[in-house]
Amino acid sequence: MTVIALPRVRRRAPVALGACLLSFAAFWWAQRAAHVSMIDLMVYRAEGETVRAGGDLYALRTTEAHLPTTYPPFAALLFTPLTLLDTSTMRTLATAGNLALLVVFVALSLRLVDHARVEGVWWASAAAVWCEPVWTTVRYGQINLLLGVLVLWDLTRRPGHRWAGVGIGLAAAIKLTPALFAVSLLVTGVVAYARRGPGGPWLRHVRGSAVAFAGATLLAACALPYDSWRFWSRMVFETGRVGLVEDTANQSLRGVLARLLHTTQPGLWWVATAAVAGSLGLGVAVAAELRGRRAWAVAACAVTALLISPVSWSHHWVWCVPMVLILGTRGRAAAVGAAQVTAAGTSLVFCSYALWWVPHGPGRLELRQTGAQLTLSALYEGAGLVFLTLIGVRLWRTYRTV
């Protein structure tokens, strides 16, 4: 009798799947043991209830923390189905949905670097679920992974795809920050056109994003005219509604400067720093895109958006997943260079939960942090800046050798 050996990939995939399911089960148990509040999910549900009741969306204060509505009206429309579920079922589905989205997010991230093997997706997902941004995303019932999947689904389409831009446009209509991806594509197209190159694909992508964003926003305006007027004329400018700028969980440059300068209003220091970081980061993203490095361009744009946003909570940094995967898969697998070392260091930063080791909480303790504490509470920004620097140096070296 002839024994036909299964391909190695087929033998490894079930093992990887089993490890992923075991990791997810342990994660689920740990979340339940920690009695996670899913407080943001409760806010989303309250927004949906307000929409159905015809109430004032931006006068809403809900949960014990009296949290306000901060997203555009289109997001509230999407949250209305949550009102049809009881709290227990909603939390269960939210946890399961976020875990499924994590797998898709990892798969799309690996597709960017042409490493989308099935077993690789399972192994990476099993590890990624334990990093602090993912843990906190599930803990709060946040939508960060959904937004990430929309953006990566869009940016992993083939050039000229008829749905190009839809993912970015919808993500920006739900939460404004992903709009920077459209800005990056627009600048890329303009630069390519100025060089007498084919800027059309990027510009068509931007057009698709604009149409999707406008369509979603107009739909919300038709359904919620008063709330739409209030948001776009006033609430969009009130960044203080989101939370305390100096909060340790705020892992943006503005948060770092507030803690470093021991002030709640970093003012012009933040404006200048964000302008420089935004320009350089966007420049890196555009340069990478023009040289065919889509993975680097996407990650650079995501990191730039997180750095320059007025508030980037720690759970917004789920983009650490593609950051690490891009660093870890760059170059020859057998070579352990600067990128691989940086990948290991980046993994350690986002899996250490170190930002929670410093004084935080009521009393604005963050404004009295010491030097060591300030360093710990700025690890995400530091990792982001190192990542951008590494990509920039690599692009410069590539340019020098051309």
Side-chain angles (χ1 to χ4, degrees):
M1 181 177 65
T2 303
V3 178
I4 300 177
L6 290 174
R8 183 176 299 179
V9 171
R10 293 187 180 181
R11 294 199 303 268
R12 291 186 303 197
V15 175
L17 174 59
C20 183
L21 293 176
L22 183 62
S23 179
F24 280 11
F27 176 88
W28 195 305
W29 176 86
Q31 287 263 320
R32 292 299 175 266
H35 302 291
V36 295
S37 63
M38 291 199 166
I39 190 170
D40 288 337
L41 182 63
M42 303 308 296
V43 174
Y44 300 157
R45 191 174 194 269
E47 291 181 26
E49 290 174 341
T50 302
V51 169
R52 293 187 62 184
D56 188 338
L57 188 60
Y58 294 100
L60 175 68
R61 291 293 187 277
T62 187
T63 72
E64 295 179 357
H66 302 287
L67 296 177
T69 301
T70 58
Y71 294 170
F74 179 67
L77 288 180
L78 299 182
F79 296 148
T80 53
L82 296 176
T83 63
L84 305 177
L85 304 171
D86 62 81
T87 301
S88 178
T89 301
M90 180 180 65
R91 289 181 173 181
T92 299
L93 291 178
T95 301
N98 265 323
L99 292 177
L101 285 169
L102 174 62
V103 175
V104 178
F105 191 53
V106 169
L108 291 173
S109 300
L110 287 172
R111 180 186 293 180
L112 277 174
V113 290
D114 297 324
H115 280 72
R117 295 179 179 177
V118 175
E119 69 272 17
V121 172
W122 296 127
W123 283 118
S125 299
V129 75
W130 294 101
C131 71
E132 190 274 339
V134 173
W135 169 276
T136 313
T137 287
V138 181
R139 171 190 175 187
Y140 292 149
Q142 262 284 342
I143 58 171
N144 304 303
L145 290 169
L146 172 62
L147 298 177
V149 165
L150 283 173
V151 170
L152 288 186
W153 172 83
D154 197 337
L155 292 172
T156 53
R157 302 297 90 193
R158 69 177 184 274
H161 193 279
R162 61 179 179 176
W163 294 104
V166 172
I168 293 174
L170 291 177
I174 296 171
K175 187 176 182 179
L176 296 178
T177 311
L180 191 65
F181 289 97
V183 174
S184 178
L185 292 171
L186 175 62
V187 176
T188 303
V190 170
V191 172
Y193 181 79
R195 294 178 177 178
R196 301 184 183 278
W202 292 292
L203 297 179
R204 284 194 296 271
H205 206 133
V206 174
R207 184 169 62 245
S209 300
V211 170
F213 175 82
T217 302
L218 288 174
L219 174 63
C222 292
L224 304 168
Y226 174 70
D227 292 320
S228 294
W229 170 256
R230 285 198 70 195
F231 179 82
W232 294 108
S233 65
R234 177 182 172 185
M235 300 303 170
V236 68
F237 304 107
E238 296 186 359
T239 58
R241 288 168 52 84
V242 180
L244 300 177
V245 63
E246 77 276 6
D247 196 313
T248 296
N250 182 13
Q251 292 293 298
S252 70
L253 290 174
R254 186 167 178 243
V256 170
L257 287 171
R259 294 187 291 270
L260 179 64
L261 300 175
H262 306 292
T263 177
T264 60
Q265 298 294 333
L268 291 178
W269 285 104
W270 169 65
V271 173
T273 303
V276 172
S279 300
L280 294 177
L282 198 60
V284 169
V286 170
E289 181 70 23
L290 287 171
R291 296 179 192 177
R293 303 283 190 173
R294 171 58 63 87
W296 292 5
V298 171
C301 185
V303 170
T304 302
L306 291 166
L307 290 173
I308 67 175
S309 176
V311 174
S312 293
W313 300 126
S314 68
H315 51 77
H316 294 164
W317 282 83
V318 292
W319 287 95
C320 69
V321 174
M323 283 170 60
V324 172
L325 293 175
I326 289 168
L327 288 171
T329 56
R330 189 178 71 82
R332 294 182 292 113
V336 181
Q340 286 71 27
V341 173
T342 306
T346 304
S347 299
L348 180 61
V349 165
F350 289 101
C351 291
S352 66
Y353 295 67
L355 74 161
W356 301 113
W357 300 354
V358 303
H360 61 277
R364 296 193 157 179
L365 302 176
E366 291 89 344
L367 295 178
R368 299 189 294 274
Q369 289 181 355
T370 65
Q373 293 166 349
L374 287 169
T375 300
L376 290 177
S377 64
L379 283 177
Y380 288 11
E381 296 87 343
L385 291 172
V386 169
F387 180 80
L388 290 177
T389 301
L390 185 64
I391 293 179
V393 170
R394 178 61 178 172
L395 289 170
W396 180 74
R397 287 178 177 175
T398 302
Y399 175 78
R400 289 286 301 272
T401 57
V402 172

